[in-house]
Amino acid sequence: MSSKKLGFWLLTALVTGNMVGSAIFMLPQSLSNIGSPAGVLLAWLFTGLGVLMLAHVYGQLSDFKPELIGGPPSYTRELFGQNKLGQIMGFEISWGYWTSNSPGNAAILITLVGYLTYFLPVLQSKTVLFTLGLFNIQVGNFLSFIIASLVLWFVHYLMFKGTYAASKINFFATITKILGFIFFIIIALSIFDITYLHPFIAEKTLKSGETLGLFQQMNQGAILTLWAFIGVESAVWLSGRAKRQQDVKWATLTGLLIALAIYLLITFLAMGALPAKELMVADKPLVDVLTKIIGPKGSFIMATLGVLSMLGATVGWILLSVEVPYQSARLNLFPHWFVKENKNGAPYRAAWITNGLTQLFLLSMISDTIANAFNEMIVIATLANLVPYLFSGIYSLKVVLKGENYGKIKIGKRFLDGTMALGASLYSLWVLKTGLSDLKTLALGMLLIVSGLVLVPLLPKHEMLKE
């Protein structure tokens, strides 16, 4: 591995940047449609508490099991035992997470191009460029595909400079993104009207005619907000690259708190800047807020911020996705073929396969028919990201109950860790139950994970590779 390790700030930028992506631009509108201000606040707090418990689990395991680098796959193997079953289960966690990231990365690139349409209107052109079999290829779709592909392979090139170099680029992208959101927060404060938040507690009637009470609003809102925190685990997966395991712990917690603060502030500032009836039908709520204050320039500023936000998320998520099979292979939990590095310590084989899969999913930009199938794949893939949360929580609970490495540590600390581990496990179960309520989604999600079994014979039989 490369000798340059990732410190606290680089890891924190990875966590924050991977969480704060496209969701924040539409969440104020989505949440205002299903909840009163009190319901929305409870949704954020419920989700924030659930993810905070997960972050605590990762921090606790970094403290008490620093030798278990690589995150969830290592925890899963320890949970099921140092045997073949443990190896297979650890591999399945890596496989599910890795394969889910390729369509996820494609979705980020597609969103990025969506923000570029403000600067390049031709990307929305419906003119048919040529026909390919059953598909009519439109000018806008084709150019969008080309741009997304160019961005993908430019980031791929950056990966070959090494993980440390790519992390520095992600750091500056994340800082720029955060400064942009701080600008929005300061501007939005100038027209914040607390009367728009009244009544603070109220029932909410949906378009379907269904009326939601406060608890139902929280539940519906929590379903929306939980997706905003995907990425909190980023530093844990890269713990093998960290200078210190303590950096992993504090980067995870700090990154989460930064993201939560941004989400809460922007959501409630948008709700206090626009009347509820306007916010509920706003296609671009943050643009509408800025336009109200500074005029047409608001669209330009938010489009620019959207591009910067998605560029940062692209770098961060591709970096993480490439590292997953590489780090797992070093742990004897993925085929050894993925371990190969270039002179900069970059896992180039993992990069080629990971980004090649993302390129295939970008084909969804060519046709609306393919795009519809892709959207369904995104839901299934995102759920595969959630399974590691559950196993990590359960393993943390096992460590606490057995008292592993606690020694003379006060019982209060052990009780806190146990409570957090139990809470994280229950939250993870709720997330999976909510996301898998549809039987078709459940079946396809299981198929995605089980499909990795074909690679089990290729898993190495020797010990973890040494640095």
Side-chain angles (χ1 to χ4, degrees), residues 108-255:
I108 292 171
L109 286 162
I110 291 170
T111 305
L112 166 63
V113 173
Y115 286 111
L116 284 173
T117 58
Y118 178 86
F119 307 99
L120 301 169
V122 70
L123 297 179
Q124 295 178 308
S125 173
K126 300 296 183 182
T127 303
V128 176
L129 184 63
F130 59 90
T131 300
L132 185 64
L134 300 175
F135 305 116
N136 291 323
I137 310 302
Q138 299 173 352
V139 171
N141 289 351
F142 182 74
L143 290 177
S144 296
F145 170 76
I146 295 299
I147 291 173
S149 299
L150 288 174
V151 173
L152 169 65
W153 293 107
F154 175 70
V155 176
H156 174 82
Y157 165 77
L158 295 179
M159 295 299 109
F160 275 53
K161 297 294 183 180
T163 302
Y164 182 80
S167 295
K168 286 200 297 184
I169 294 170
N170 177 70
F171 174 82
F172 290 113
T174 301
I175 291 297
T176 303
K177 182 192 325 189
I178 291 174
L179 290 175
F181 285 124
I182 290 174
F183 169 79
F184 173 87
I185 289 167
I186 293 172
I187 294 294
L189 277 170
S190 67
I191 62 165
F192 182 80
D193 187 345
I194 198 168
T195 60
Y196 288 155
L197 300 181
H198 293 158
F200 190 70
I201 301 174
E203 292 185 336
K204 195 75 175 182
T205 302
L206 305 182
K207 291 180 180 179
S208 63
E210 180 186 0
T211 300
L212 301 180
L214 192 61
F215 177 78
Q216 292 170 306
Q217 293 171 32
M218 182 191 76
N219 189 63
Q220 292 287 325
I223 293 171
L224 293 174
T225 55
L226 71 88
W227 306 114
F229 291 101
I230 298 294
V232 67
E233 69 285 354
S234 299
V236 181
W237 282 91
L238 267 70
S239 57
R241 299 276 193 185
K243 287 182 180 178
R244 304 180 309 145
Q245 292 307 300
Q246 282 288 306
D247 289 338
V248 174
K249 171 184 176 179
W250 292 112
T252 301
L253 291 168
T254 305

Side-chain angles (χ1 to χ4, degrees), residues 223 383 430-442:
I223 293 171
L383 290 170
W430 176 82
V431 168
L432 287 168
K433 176 182 178 296
T434 301
L436 296 173
S437 56
D438 178 82
L439 288 177
K440 180 181 178 182
T441 304
L442 173 61

Side-chain angles (χ1 to χ4, degrees), residues 18-78:
N18 282 2
M19 278 193 284
V20 183
S22 62
I24 190 56
F25 291 93
M26 283 307 298
L27 272 173
Q29 185 263 359
S30 303
L31 290 169
S32 67
N33 273 285
I34 54 89
S36 64
V40 171
L41 177 61
L42 287 174
W44 276 119
L45 293 178
F46 175 77
T47 306
L49 178 61
V51 181
L52 181 63
M53 289 188 290
L54 284 168
H56 183 91
V57 161
Y58 290 134
Q60 177 241 351
L61 291 175
S62 296
D63 275 344
F64 288 84
K65 294 288 183 178
E67 72 279 7
L68 297 181
I69 60 173
S74 292
Y75 306 151
T76 302
R77 176 168 57 185
E78 292 296 311

Side-chain angles (χ1 to χ4, degrees), residues 110-430:
I110 291 170
T111 305
L112 166 63
V113 173
Y115 286 111
L116 284 173
T117 58
Y118 178 86
F119 307 99
L120 301 169
V122 70
L123 297 179
Q124 295 178 308
S125 173
K126 300 296 183 182
T127 303
V128 176
L129 184 63
F130 59 90
T131 300
L132 185 64
L134 300 175
F135 305 116
N136 291 323
I137 310 302
Q138 299 173 352
V139 171
N141 289 351
F142 182 74
L143 290 177
S144 296
F145 170 76
I146 295 299
I147 291 173
S149 299
L150 288 174
V151 173
L152 169 65
W153 293 107
F154 175 70
V155 176
H156 174 82
Y157 165 77
L158 295 179
M159 295 299 109
F160 275 53
K161 297 294 183 180
T163 302
Y164 182 80
S167 295
K168 286 200 297 184
I169 294 170
N170 177 70
F171 174 82
F172 290 113
T174 301
I175 291 297
T176 303
K177 182 192 325 189
I178 291 174
L179 290 175
F181 285 124
I182 290 174
F183 169 79
F184 173 87
I185 289 167
I186 293 172
I187 294 294
L189 277 170
S190 67
I191 62 165
F192 182 80
D193 187 345
I194 198 168
T195 60
Y196 288 155
L197 300 181
H198 293 158
F200 190 70
I201 301 174
E203 292 185 336
K204 195 75 175 182
T205 302
L206 305 182
K207 291 180 180 179
S208 63
E210 180 186 0
T211 300
L212 301 180
L214 192 61
F215 177 78
Q216 292 170 306
Q217 293 171 32
M218 182 191 76
N219 189 63
Q220 292 287 325
I223 293 171
L224 293 174
T225 55
L226 71 88
W227 306 114
F229 291 101
I230 298 294
V232 67
E233 69 285 354
S234 299
V236 181
W237 282 91
L238 267 70
S239 57
R241 299 276 193 185
K243 287 182 180 178
R244 304 180 309 145
Q245 292 307 300
Q246 282 288 306
D247 289 338
V248 174
K249 171 184 176 179
W250 292 112
T252 301
L253 291 168
T254 305
L256 168 61
L257 293 176
I258 292 172
L260 181 58
I262 291 172
Y263 284 141
L264 277 170
L265 285 169
I266 288 181
T267 298
F268 280 91
L269 285 173
M271 293 177 77
L274 296 175
K277 289 183 179 179
E278 288 185 28
L279 184 59
M280 288 169 63
V281 296
D283 290 331
K284 299 173 182 177
L286 303 196
V287 170
D288 291 350
V289 172
L290 279 190
T291 301
K292 185 175 179 179
I293 305 169
I294 60 177
K297 290 182 180 179
S299 296
F300 172 82
I301 291 172
M302 290 314 301
T304 303
L305 182 55
V307 170
L308 291 173
S309 181
M310 300 319 298
L311 276 173
T314 299
V315 175
W317 275 104
I318 289 179
L319 169 62
L320 176 59
S321 303
V322 168
E323 284 287 319
V324 168
Y326 166 74
Q327 294 291 344
S328 296
R330 293 186 63 251
L331 297 169
N332 198 24
L333 296 173
F334 224 78
H336 253 188
W337 187 85
F338 287 87
V339 169
K340 199 71 173 177
E341 300 174 329
N342 67 8
K343 63 181 181 180
N344 296 318
Y348 68 89
R349 286 180 174 174
W352 279 111
I353 298 298
T354 301
N355 295 326
L357 288 172
T358 300
Q359 181 67 67
L360 289 177
F361 283 108
L362 284 178
L363 290 171
S364 64
M365 302 177 76
I366 296 292
S367 158
D368 292 339
T369 304
I370 300 175
N372 291 333
F374 173 74
N375 289 336
E376 190 166 317
M377 179 64 189
I378 281 292
V379 176
I380 297 164
T382 305
L383 290 170
N385 277 6
L386 304 175
V387 179
Y389 294 164
L390 177 60
F391 286 158
S392 298
I394 294 174
Y395 176 61
S396 175
L397 189 59
K398 176 184 176 182
V399 170
V400 173
L401 291 175
K402 293 180 68 176
E404 295 182 31
N405 297 343
Y406 274 84
K408 296 181 180 180
I409 293 175
K410 292 181 179 180
I411 190 67
K413 165 65 174 170
R414 190 170 168 186
F415 177 78
L416 173 64
D417 289 346
T419 302
M420 288 292 196
L422 178 61
S425 301
L426 292 175
Y427 175 74
S428 300
L429 282 172
W430 176 82

